[in-house]
Amino acid sequence: MSPRTTRIAGWALALLAIAAFASLGRWQLARMHQKQAMLDAVAATLDARIARPLSAAADPDRARDYDWAAGEGGFLPGPAVLLDNQQRDGRPGVRVYRLFQPVGAAPLLVELGWLPVPPDRAMPQVAPIEGVQRVQGLLAPPPSAGLADATPTPTAHGDLLAIRLDGAALPSRLGVDALPPRVLKLDPALPLGHARDLDVLPNTLPPEKHLGYAVQWFGLALAVLATALILTFRRRRR
């Protein structure tokens, strides 16, 4: 292979690597901006705390938005939904959801908080909540778990263990026709449920982490470019 051919092949590989690293850096920046926009929207909603009816959970036009909502109703009998692989303060656990029937609106899932899971993976037993309740909290899209299998499995106590809250897989197991696209993250100030917060990015990277990864990918792209230039100039001098 001639020196010219070698140089062209080397630059082709270098440009491919630079393009790949730069693409990954741009993706990380896009994720940073997306998550920062989510946090800003939540902060604005929590600052205003203008309560909308719980029926807003079913509004398809706001399926990816955030609203403060409040209303009365009751928790329906039936299994709780335990969202698996949820950490809190470094401890493994589940987030507990129950189906709530608001007055004059469709049932929706309400996040009651987090419970720990012991090393033997014995799922906690979730007590039912009876009587009329007034609830309030943050309407938010359910946590996402990518392409994980969404089929819920029954626990020893009759609840449902799920990897993600799938609007297609859960309704039939809960005895309803459909679920709204948003869930209610229950106000931590209410004397219901378990340990909880209004964090919309649990178990995922915050914006600053994405920025750090973006800097690393762009740095690798610059390193490849610098290496290719140095090798090219050295060959020319020889």
Side-chain angles (χ1 to χ4, degrees):
M1 184 179 292
S2 66
R4 184 174 182 276
T5 303
T6 302
R7 185 166 61 253
I8 292 175
W11 268 104
L13 290 174
L15 291 175
L16 285 174
I18 291 169
F21 292 150
S23 178
L24 289 169
R26 289 194 300 271
W27 181 81
Q28 290 289 351
L29 283 180
R31 290 292 289 158
M32 179 198 72
H33 291 304
Q34 181 186 35
K35 290 187 175 180
Q36 188 59 55
M38 292 168 59
L39 294 178
D40 291 344
V42 170
T45 299
L46 295 180
D47 286 343
R49 302 234 172 181
I50 300 173
R52 302 188 65 187
L54 294 175
S55 59
D59 185 352
D61 294 332
R62 295 190 62 77
R64 307 304 304 173
D65 295 322
Y66 302 92
D67 290 303
W68 190 257
E72 288 189 348
F75 288 92
L76 296 176
V81 179
L82 309 181
L83 185 62
D84 204 359
N85 300 325
Q86 302 295 303
Q87 291 199 0
R88 184 180 176 88
D89 298 328
R91 300 173 62 196
V94 293
R95 288 183 184 270
V96 180
Y97 294 79
R98 275 201 176 278
L99 201 58
F100 185 80
Q101 176 65 70
V103 175
L108 76 156
L109 283 176
V110 173
E111 182 190 320
L112 294 170
W114 178 90
L115 286 174
V117 172
D120 63 1
R121 294 282 298 165
M123 290 296 132
Q125 184 172 6
V126 181
I129 301 175
E130 300 178 345
V132 176
Q133 304 286 339
R134 178 163 183 84
V135 298
Q136 65 181 20
L138 181 69
L139 287 176
S144 174
L147 300 177
D149 183 9
T151 304
T153 57
T155 70
H157 305 294
D159 295 320
L160 297 175
L161 182 64
I163 299 298
R164 61 187 173 100
L165 302 181
D166 190 295
L170 281 174
S172 62
R173 307 294 292 272
L174 295 174
V176 294
D177 294 331
L179 288 172
R182 291 191 289 178
V183 302
L184 183 73
K185 294 176 68 67
L186 198 63
D187 186 350
L190 293 179
L192 289 175
H194 318 286
R196 61 184 181 271
D197 51 48
L198 297 177
D199 183 12
V200 295
L201 297 177
N203 303 322
T204 187
L205 296 177
E208 55 269 20
K209 285 289 187 179
H210 286 290
L211 177 59
Y213 287 133
V215 170
Q216 290 180 15
W217 287 121
F218 288 133
L220 286 172
L222 288 174
V224 172
L225 176 60
T227 301
L229 289 171
I230 290 171
L231 291 176
T232 299
F233 288 137
R234 282 181 177 176
R235 285 171 183 157
R236 287 180 178 177
R237 287 179 180 177
R238 290 175 183 174

